[in-house]
Amino acid sequence: MKTYLITGGAGFIGANFVKYLIKKYGLSAKIIVLDKLTYAGNLQTLENELDKIEFIKGDICNRELVEYIFTKNNIDYVINFAAESHVDRSIESPEIFLKTNILGTQNLLEVSKKAWLIGEDEYKVGVKYLQVSTDEVYGSLGDTGYFTEETPLDPRSPYSASKTSADLIVKAYIDTYKFPANITRCSNNYGPYHFPEKLIPLIIKNIIEGKTLPVYGDGKNVRDWLYVEDHCKAIDIVINKGTLGEIYNVGGHNEKQNIEIVKIIIDIMAELTSKEIKYREVLKTEVGNINENLIKYVKDRKGHDRRYAIDPSKITSELGWYPETKFEDGIIKTIKWYLKNQQWVNGVTSGNYQQYYDKMYNEARQNIIK
Ligand code: NAD
Ligand code: DAU
């Protein structure tokens, strides 16, 4: 049995990864989730998994706590999803991004190094640290070209600068201490449990509520979208097959301008809600109001990166990863999920989800270390 320490496992990608592991490995994976439950962490997302995992509320920056977790468990893999993840918030308040994303990563590296080291530059067999990074470390592309693993690092927002710094610390541990680690750099994810401050879930939520749809600048910035389960699959493959010390880009060649994304969502939601009463009932507006008149061009994001596009040929040719979900299917699945899970959306937008942890705590269903 392998023991996974999954940090940030109550967030969007981390929680999807926990569900993916349980589905794939069942009881042969022991899963410990360490999450601070910031505004972006929602324990309710893991409601159906809580009897199969050990959940610990805590900060990846907390040395004592992370050491305690390693003392009590024979950790094989650390997968670090924990981060402040929203670019707009990093522009407003950069400091917490530096603390969590850089110092938190270094704390995890230091504790796992100490726990796994068995001799000079020698580590327990089979252990691995995986840093979940982002394509934003490469900066911004013009109209052509792709990010490869050799593209120079050129972060441009406080968020991407903090993620790049974290990558460099991981690389320093690999080069200096021969620390067993990989870095994955993925493009924009979408899918269930995505916090509705990010483009796709925000647009879905605003359409349901009959609100305007904010598009930054001219709407022609390009992002390269990947269904979250395909990202989870990539991480699983890199843990099991990735060559130690290597970096792997993850992306599915699915570039779209933001305005295209917004129009696709409008079209799908107008069709779904006009055809099916169960979806129509969710709307807080009339079906007839779902159209492009909702689009509102707003002030651009400061330093807004123009285009991201990943070249995933290394992970495909060396490890056999490929994306399984076509965008046309993934976006419909995602929209249907949000229409069916309004309770989850209302919980995270009202802040009520923060009380869920207290409820669970009182029911003594969790293992909490203070
Ligand atoms: P998210 O904001 O949805 O989740 C982050 C999680 O980390 C939350 O559960 C939060 O409570 C937790 N967290 C924050 N600070 C913490 C701390 N100090 N200690 C412990 N837990 C803490 O983010 P996400 O979109 O799921 O992203 C997960 C990781 O993947 C991040 O590292 C992000 O940089 C990276 N990434 C995201 C995308 C994307 O499109 N969302 C793409 C590529 C890479
Ligand atoms: O590329 C990977 C990154 O993708 C991850 O590392 C980040 O954690 C993740 O948040 C995401 O960053 P983006 O900034 O690309 O995602 P976001 O959803 O915030 O914005 C997507 C695009 O849509 C971007 O060009 C800005 C634009 N946008 C966003 C919002 C929230 C709008 O036009 N209107 C909006 O209201």
Side-chain angles (χ1 to χ4, degrees):
M1 179 192 273
K2 296 290 185 187
T3 301
Y4 294 72
L5 174 60
I6 299 178
T7 67
F12 165 45
I13 308 174
N16 274 288
F17 185 70
V18 168
K19 290 170 195 287
Y20 180 91
L21 279 186
I22 292 173
K23 203 159 115 192
K24 180 158 179 196
Y25 297 108
L27 293 176
S28 61
K30 180 178 175 193
I31 299 171
I32 301 163
V33 170
L34 170 63
D35 196 298
K36 190 177 164 187
L37 296 182
T38 67
Y39 79 95
N42 180 0
L43 198 53
Q44 220 161 352
T45 305
L46 294 175
E47 194 169 22
N48 296 328
E49 285 74 32
L50 282 176
D51 56 347
K52 301 174 201 80
I53 66 172
E54 189 177 328
F55 179 81
I56 299 165
K57 181 179 178 181
D59 193 328
I60 58 166
C61 300
N62 183 334
R63 174 66 56 95
E64 264 187 351
L65 173 61
V66 179
E67 278 177 349
Y68 182 80
I69 295 170
F70 268 88
T71 314
K72 289 284 167 195
N73 299 280
N74 203 356
I75 309 276
D76 296 292
Y77 304 130
V78 175
I79 299 144
N80 183 24
F81 291 96
E84 289 294 334
S85 68
H86 191 35
V87 174
D88 291 330
R89 285 180 190 253
S90 82
I91 294 166
E92 291 303 315
S93 318
E95 199 173 325
I96 185 68
F97 284 73
L98 273 57
K99 278 193 185 135
T100 289
N101 299 2
I102 306 174
L103 297 178
T105 296
Q106 195 270 333
N107 191 41
L108 293 173
L109 289 167
E110 189 56 26
V111 176
S112 27
K113 176 168 82 65
K114 278 196 189 133
W116 288 342
L117 205 57
I118 52 170
E120 174 90 26
D121 291 344
E122 216 189 314
Y123 294 85
K124 282 184 184 171
V125 177
V127 295
K128 183 179 279 193
Y129 175 100
L130 193 145
Q131 177 72 4
V132 182
S133 186
T134 166
D135 58 0
E136 298 201 13
V137 299
Y138 298 120
S140 182
L141 289 166
D143 289 342
T144 57
Y146 296 94
F147 296 134
T148 72
E149 289 79 359
E150 274 72 49
T151 301
L153 300 174
D154 183 25
R156 292 156 37 89
S157 72
Y159 163 72
S160 54
S162 69
K163 292 295 290 185
T164 309
S165 307
D167 283 12
L168 291 176
I169 300 285
V170 176
K171 188 179 174 305
Y173 271 66
I174 292 170
D175 293 339
T176 308
Y177 309 112
K178 310 290 172 252
F179 183 70
N182 285 119
I183 299 171
T184 53
R185 293 182 178 145
C186 189
S187 61
N188 284 63
N189 286 213
Y190 70 100
Y193 306 107
H194 205 178
F195 196 86
E197 64 184 349
K198 310 279 169 59
L199 181 70
I200 289 184
L202 179 81
I203 296 299
I204 299 171
K205 176 178 165 294
N206 282 12
I207 291 177
I208 291 172
E209 293 173 1
K211 292 185 180 157
T212 57
L213 312 177
V215 173
Y216 297 168
D218 65 2
K220 292 186 179 160
N221 298 64
V222 172
R223 295 294 182 265
D224 185 359
W225 295 95
L226 183 73
Y227 193 62
V228 63
E229 219 170 75
D230 282 321
H231 186 188
C232 296
K233 186 175 92 166
I235 290 171
D236 181 41
I237 288 177
V238 173
I239 291 164
N240 287 294
K241 291 167 58 179
T243 306
L244 290 179
E246 289 294 310
I247 296 168
Y248 296 95
N249 281 354
V250 185
H253 280 303
N254 183 54
E255 290 178 52
K256 296 254 183 295
Q257 290 184 343
N258 295 334
I259 189 65
E260 284 179 74
I261 291 284
V262 173
K263 288 181 179 173
I264 289 169
I265 298 174
I266 292 173
D267 289 347
I268 295 171
M269 288 188 67
E271 194 182 332
L272 281 177
T273 53
S274 64
K275 281 192 179 151
E276 293 201 49
I277 188 151
K278 68 174 182 215
Y279 295 132
R280 190 153 61 244
E281 277 170 355
V282 175
L283 294 180
K284 295 178 186 136
T285 181
E286 299 298 316
V287 179
N289 291 340
I290 304 179
N291 57 51
E292 292 183 11
N293 292 333
L294 288 174
I295 295 171
K296 185 167 182 219
Y297 288 91
V298 298
K299 191 164 171 249
D300 208 355
R301 172 184 281 175
K302 280 185 195 296
H304 197 173
D305 288 343
R306 191 62 173 169
R307 175 173 165 258
Y308 302 146
I310 278 279
D311 173 356
S313 47
K314 178 175 173 181
I315 190 170
T316 300
S317 63
E318 293 183 12
L319 307 184
W321 175 85
Y322 59 91
E324 284 175 36
T325 303
K326 282 195 249 145
F327 186 74
E328 302 77 70
D329 301 329
I331 193 69
I332 293 175
K333 269 208 270 191
T334 303
I335 291 170
K336 285 185 176 170
W337 187 87
Y338 278 91
L339 286 165
K340 281 189 204 143
N341 288 277
Q342 277 301 290
Q343 215 185 342
W344 184 91
V345 177
N346 294 335
V348 296
T349 37
S350 66
N352 284 345
Y353 67 107
Q354 303 279 10
Q355 290 156 18
Y356 183 80
Y357 174 75
D358 299 335
K359 185 167 160 270
M360 289 289 108
Y361 178 81
N362 291 335
E363 287 172 13
R365 283 180 58 191
Q366 293 151 42
N367 180 7
I368 305 159
I369 302 159
K370 291 210 166 121

